[in-house]
Amino acid sequence: KIVISAILIILLVGIVIFFINKKNASVNNIIAISQAKMPAPPNKTMTEFPKTVPLGFPSGIPIESAHITSSNKAVYVDSNVTQYTVSYTSTKSKDSLWKIYTDYFTSAGYTMNKDSINKTLGFMSVSKGKNSLMVGITNSGQESTVHLDLLIH
């Protein structure tokens, strides 16, 4: 009985020590997390242009400016990159919009990235020099939505 009592006491002490250490570890983790420095935000400026073409967006790229639903311009100062995003709705079909964009990109000298073009999904990626443009076209009933994401280096 003495041996069994001693084993039970040792197990009980071990369990208590385990939980005390676990509690201290949790407290130390919370302290470490609260003292951690948050990374500095990227050196960028963002401007929203609700329902208008963002200032500086290339004028030749086809957009139905009267139907813009959202747009913005982000300037990444450290990397010297400007990002434009524009979304708009159209009464034109997905196929019609696809043709408008492929015709424009071909005539304007863009490189069609064949691995990044999927007409069925309505997605294409094109480039010209260091600049790249992604276009997404979806259709919902009588309306299509176009999303453009342009990176200018």
Side-chain angles (χ1 to χ4, degrees):
K1 290 185 175 185
I2 294 175
V3 173
I4 293 175
S5 295
I7 291 173
L8 288 175
I9 290 173
I10 291 171
L11 282 174
L12 183 60
V13 169
I15 291 171
V16 169
I17 290 171
F18 173 77
F19 282 109
I20 289 173
N21 285 339
K22 188 172 184 177
K23 181 180 177 186
N24 287 341
S26 296
V27 170
N28 289 339
N29 286 342
I30 291 170
I31 291 170
I33 290 169
S34 68
Q35 292 175 345
K37 291 184 179 179
M38 296 301 290
N43 192 2
K44 88 172 184 181
T45 59
M46 179 100 143
T47 308
E48 290 187 32
F49 297 87
K51 301 189 178 193
T52 61
V53 177
L55 293 175
F57 189 86
S59 60
I61 298 173
I63 294 178
E64 294 180 29
S65 57
H67 301 109
I68 291 175
T69 55
S70 68
S71 67
N72 65 56
K73 173 183 178 180
V75 178
Y76 300 87
V77 178
D78 291 343
S79 55
N80 196 29
V81 173
T82 301
Q83 178 182 15
Y84 296 95
T85 58
V86 177
S87 295
Y88 69 90
T89 58
S90 176
T91 56
K92 294 181 176 115
S93 70
K94 184 177 171 182
D95 287 341
S96 174
L97 289 163
W98 186 267
K99 182 169 177 19
I100 288 169
Y101 282 102
T102 55
D103 288 350
Y104 169 75
F105 294 138
T106 300
S107 68
Y110 282 80
T111 300
M112 308 285 281
N113 303 320
K114 300 295 181 192
D115 294 336
S116 300
I117 294 177
N118 188 319
K119 185 176 180 180
T120 304
L121 295 177
F123 177 81
M124 69 177 77
S125 175
V126 298
S127 59
K128 187 174 186 179
K130 291 183 178 180
N131 303 332
S132 61
L133 176 62
M134 290 180 283
V135 180
I137 305 170
T138 58
N139 186 271
S140 177
Q142 300 297 318
E143 187 174 77
S144 296
T145 301
V146 177
H147 180 79
L148 304 164
D149 191 1
L150 172 64
L151 291 176
I152 295 181
H153 296 265

